Amino acid sequence: MIKLLLIFVIIYFCFKVVKSTVKSLGFNVAKSSQVNTGHGNIENVMIQDPVCNVYFAKEDGVCNMIGGKELCFCSEKCRDKYLAAH
Ligand SMILES: [Zn+2]
């Protein structure tokens, strides 16, 4: 019975180690799978804000469909400025 418990503990620890390993690797796997969908590459690209000319990651910006075109800004402030000017 004690032996069984010991085996269970060993399995539990192995599971924990594997889980933490997968977790640390999982981020990379998720990122690369995102790239495989074809959109991941675009999402990580640096783009320029047309209002303040600052470069930022698209995923950090504010993107809106404006005049049938997707435009991305570094912040809502810049988007509002752009909308006010156009
Ligand atoms: Zn801006």
CSV table of all heavy atoms in Angstrom, one decimal, residues 4-28:
chain,number,residue,atom,x,y,z
A,4,LEU,N,2.5,1.7,-3.3
A,4,LEU,CA,1.5,2.3,-4.3
A,4,LEU,C,1.4,3.8,-4.1
A,4,LEU,O,1.4,4.6,-5.1
A,4,LEU,CB,0.1,1.7,-4.0
A,4,LEU,CG,-0.8,1.7,-5.2
A,4,LEU,CD1,-0.5,0.7,-6.3
A,4,LEU,CD2,-2.3,1.5,-4.7
A,5,LEU,N,1.5,4.2,-2.9
A,5,LEU,CA,1.4,5.7,-2.6
A,5,LEU,C,2.6,6.4,-3.1
A,5,LEU,O,2.6,7.4,-3.7
A,5,LEU,CB,1.3,5.9,-1.0
A,5,LEU,CG,0.7,7.2,-0.6
A,5,LEU,CD1,-0.8,7.3,-0.8
A,5,LEU,CD2,1.1,7.5,0.8
A,6,LEU,N,3.8,5.7,-2.9
A,6,LEU,CA,5.1,6.2,-3.4
A,6,LEU,C,5.0,6.4,-4.9
A,6,LEU,O,5.4,7.4,-5.5
A,6,LEU,CB,6.2,5.3,-3.0
A,6,LEU,CG,7.6,5.9,-3.0
A,6,LEU,CD1,7.8,6.9,-1.8
A,6,LEU,CD2,8.7,4.9,-3.0
A,7,ILE,N,4.5,5.4,-5.6
A,7,ILE,CA,4.4,5.4,-7.0
A,7,ILE,C,3.5,6.6,-7.5
A,7,ILE,O,3.8,7.4,-8.4
A,7,ILE,CB,3.9,4.1,-7.6
A,7,ILE,CG1,5.0,3.0,-7.4
A,7,ILE,CG2,3.5,4.2,-9.1
A,7,ILE,CD1,4.5,1.6,-7.6
A,8,PHE,N,2.4,6.7,-6.7
A,8,PHE,CA,1.5,7.8,-7.0
A,8,PHE,C,2.2,9.2,-6.9
A,8,PHE,O,2.0,10.1,-7.7
A,8,PHE,CB,0.3,7.7,-6.1
A,8,PHE,CG,-0.7,8.8,-6.3
A,8,PHE,CD1,-1.6,8.7,-7.4
A,8,PHE,CD2,-0.8,9.9,-5.5
A,8,PHE,CE1,-2.5,9.7,-7.6
A,8,PHE,CE2,-1.7,10.9,-5.7
A,8,PHE,CZ,-2.6,10.8,-6.8
A,9,VAL,N,3.0,9.3,-5.8
A,9,VAL,CA,3.7,10.6,-5.6
A,9,VAL,C,4.7,10.8,-6.7
A,9,VAL,O,4.8,12.0,-7.2
A,9,VAL,CB,4.4,10.6,-4.2
A,9,VAL,CG1,5.4,11.7,-4.1
A,9,VAL,CG2,3.4,10.6,-3.1
A,10,ILE,N,5.4,9.8,-7.1
A,10,ILE,CA,6.4,9.9,-8.2
A,10,ILE,C,5.7,10.4,-9.5
A,10,ILE,O,6.1,11.3,-10.2
A,10,ILE,CB,7.2,8.6,-8.4
A,10,ILE,CG1,8.1,8.4,-7.2
A,10,ILE,CG2,8.0,8.7,-9.7
A,10,ILE,CD1,8.7,7.0,-7.1
A,11,ILE,N,4.6,9.7,-9.8
A,11,ILE,CA,3.8,10.0,-11.0
A,11,ILE,C,3.3,11.5,-10.9
A,11,ILE,O,3.4,12.2,-11.9
A,11,ILE,CB,2.6,9.0,-11.2
A,11,ILE,CG1,3.1,7.7,-11.6
A,11,ILE,CG2,1.6,9.6,-12.2
A,11,ILE,CD1,2.1,6.6,-11.5
A,12,TYR,N,2.9,11.9,-9.7
A,12,TYR,CA,2.3,13.2,-9.5
A,12,TYR,C,3.4,14.3,-9.8
A,12,TYR,O,3.2,15.3,-10.5
A,12,TYR,CB,1.8,13.4,-8.1
A,12,TYR,CG,1.3,14.8,-7.8
A,12,TYR,CD1,0.1,15.2,-8.3
A,12,TYR,CD2,2.0,15.6,-7.0
A,12,TYR,CE1,-0.4,16.5,-8.1
A,12,TYR,CE2,1.6,16.9,-6.7
A,12,TYR,CZ,0.4,17.3,-7.3
A,12,TYR,OH,0.0,18.6,-7.0
A,13,PHE,N,4.6,13.9,-9.3
A,13,PHE,CA,5.8,14.9,-9.5
A,13,PHE,C,6.2,14.9,-10.9
A,13,PHE,O,6.5,16.0,-11.5
A,13,PHE,CB,7.0,14.5,-8.6
A,13,PHE,CG,6.9,15.2,-7.3
A,13,PHE,CD1,6.3,14.6,-6.2
A,13,PHE,CD2,7.5,16.5,-7.1
A,13,PHE,CE1,6.3,15.3,-4.9
A,13,PHE,CE2,7.5,17.1,-5.9
A,13,PHE,CZ,6.9,16.6,-4.8
A,14,CYS,N,6.2,13.8,-11.6
A,14,CYS,CA,6.5,13.7,-13.0
A,14,CYS,C,5.5,14.6,-13.8
A,14,CYS,O,5.9,15.4,-14.7
A,14,CYS,CB,6.5,12.3,-13.5
A,14,CYS,SG,7.9,11.4,-13.0
A,15,PHE,N,4.2,14.4,-13.4
A,15,PHE,CA,3.2,15.2,-14.1
A,15,PHE,C,3.4,16.6,-13.9
A,15,PHE,O,3.2,17.4,-14.8
A,15,PHE,CB,1.8,14.7,-13.5
A,15,PHE,CG,0.6,15.4,-14.1
A,15,PHE,CD1,0.3,15.1,-15.4
A,15,PHE,CD2,-0.1,16.3,-13.4
A,15,PHE,CE1,-0.8,15.7,-16.0
A,15,PHE,CE2,-1.2,17.0,-14.0
A,15,PHE,CZ,-1.5,16.7,-15.3
A,16,LYS,N,3.7,17.0,-12.7
A,16,LYS,CA,4.0,18.4,-12.4
A,16,LYS,C,5.1,19.0,-13.2
A,16,LYS,O,5.0,20.1,-13.7
A,16,LYS,CB,4.3,18.6,-10.9
A,16,LYS,CG,3.1,19.2,-10.1
A,16,LYS,CD,3.6,19.7,-8.7
A,16,LYS,CE,3.0,21.0,-8.4
A,16,LYS,NZ,3.3,21.4,-7.0
A,17,VAL,N,6.2,18.3,-13.3
A,17,VAL,CA,7.4,18.7,-14.0
A,17,VAL,C,7.0,18.8,-15.5
A,17,VAL,O,7.3,19.8,-16.2
A,17,VAL,CB,8.5,17.7,-13.9
A,17,VAL,CG1,9.6,18.0,-14.9
A,17,VAL,CG2,9.1,17.8,-12.4
A,18,VAL,N,6.3,17.8,-16.0
A,18,VAL,CA,5.9,17.9,-17.4
A,18,VAL,C,5.0,19.0,-17.7
A,18,VAL,O,5.1,19.8,-18.7
A,18,VAL,CB,5.2,16.5,-17.8
A,18,VAL,CG1,4.5,16.7,-19.2
A,18,VAL,CG2,6.2,15.4,-17.9
A,19,LYS,N,4.1,19.3,-16.8
A,19,LYS,CA,3.1,20.3,-16.9
A,19,LYS,C,3.8,21.7,-17.0
A,19,LYS,O,3.5,22.5,-17.8
A,19,LYS,CB,2.1,20.3,-15.7
A,19,LYS,CG,0.7,20.8,-16.1
A,19,LYS,CD,-0.2,20.7,-15.0
A,19,LYS,CE,-1.4,21.6,-15.2
A,19,LYS,NZ,-2.3,21.6,-14.0
A,20,SER,N,4.8,21.9,-16.0
A,20,SER,CA,5.5,23.2,-16.0
A,20,SER,C,6.3,23.3,-17.3
A,20,SER,O,6.5,24.4,-17.8
A,20,SER,CB,6.3,23.3,-14.7
A,20,SER,OG,7.3,22.3,-14.7
A,21,THR,N,6.9,22.2,-17.7
A,21,THR,CA,7.7,22.3,-19.0
A,21,THR,C,6.8,22.6,-20.2
A,21,THR,O,7.2,23.5,-21.0
A,21,THR,CB,8.4,20.9,-19.2
A,21,THR,OG1,9.1,20.5,-18.0
A,21,THR,CG2,9.3,21.0,-20.4
A,22,VAL,N,5.7,22.0,-20.2
A,22,VAL,CA,4.7,22.3,-21.3
A,22,VAL,C,4.3,23.7,-21.3
A,22,VAL,O,4.1,24.4,-22.3
A,22,VAL,CB,3.5,21.3,-21.3
A,22,VAL,CG1,2.4,21.8,-22.2
A,22,VAL,CG2,4.0,19.9,-21.6
A,23,LYS,N,4.1,24.2,-20.0
A,23,LYS,CA,3.6,25.6,-19.8
A,23,LYS,C,4.6,26.6,-20.4
A,23,LYS,O,4.3,27.5,-21.1
A,23,LYS,CB,3.4,25.8,-18.3
A,23,LYS,CG,2.1,26.6,-18.1
A,23,LYS,CD,1.8,26.8,-16.6
A,23,LYS,CE,0.7,27.7,-16.4
A,23,LYS,NZ,0.5,27.9,-15.0
A,24,SER,N,5.9,26.3,-20.1
A,24,SER,CA,7.0,27.2,-20.5
A,24,SER,C,7.2,27.1,-22.0
A,24,SER,O,7.5,28.1,-22.7
A,24,SER,CB,8.3,27.0,-19.8
A,24,SER,OG,8.7,25.7,-20.0
A,25,LEU,N,7.0,25.9,-22.5
A,25,LEU,CA,7.1,25.7,-24.0
A,25,LEU,C,5.8,26.0,-24.7
A,25,LEU,O,5.8,26.4,-25.9
A,25,LEU,CB,7.4,24.2,-24.3
A,25,LEU,CG,8.8,23.7,-23.9
A,25,LEU,CD1,8.9,22.2,-24.1
A,25,LEU,CD2,9.9,24.4,-24.8
A,26,GLY,N,4.7,25.9,-24.0
A,26,GLY,CA,3.4,26.1,-24.6
A,26,GLY,C,3.2,27.5,-25.2
A,26,GLY,O,2.6,27.6,-26.2
A,27,PHE,N,3.9,28.5,-24.6
A,27,PHE,CA,3.8,29.8,-25.1
A,27,PHE,C,4.4,29.9,-26.5
A,27,PHE,O,3.8,30.5,-27.4
A,27,PHE,CB,4.5,30.8,-24.2
A,27,PHE,CG,4.3,32.2,-24.5
A,27,PHE,CD1,3.1,32.8,-24.3
A,27,PHE,CD2,5.4,33.0,-25.1
A,27,PHE,CE1,2.9,34.2,-24.6
A,27,PHE,CE2,5.2,34.3,-25.4
A,27,PHE,CZ,3.9,34.9,-25.2
A,28,ASN,N,5.5,29.3,-26.7
A,28,ASN,CA,6.2,29.3,-28.0
A,28,ASN,C,5.3,28.5,-29.0
A,28,ASN,O,5.2,28.9,-30.1
A,28,ASN,CB,7.6,28.6,-27.9
A,28,ASN,CG,8.5,29.5,-27.1
A,28,ASN,OD1,8.3,30.8,-27.1
A,28,ASN,ND2,9.5,28.9,-26.5
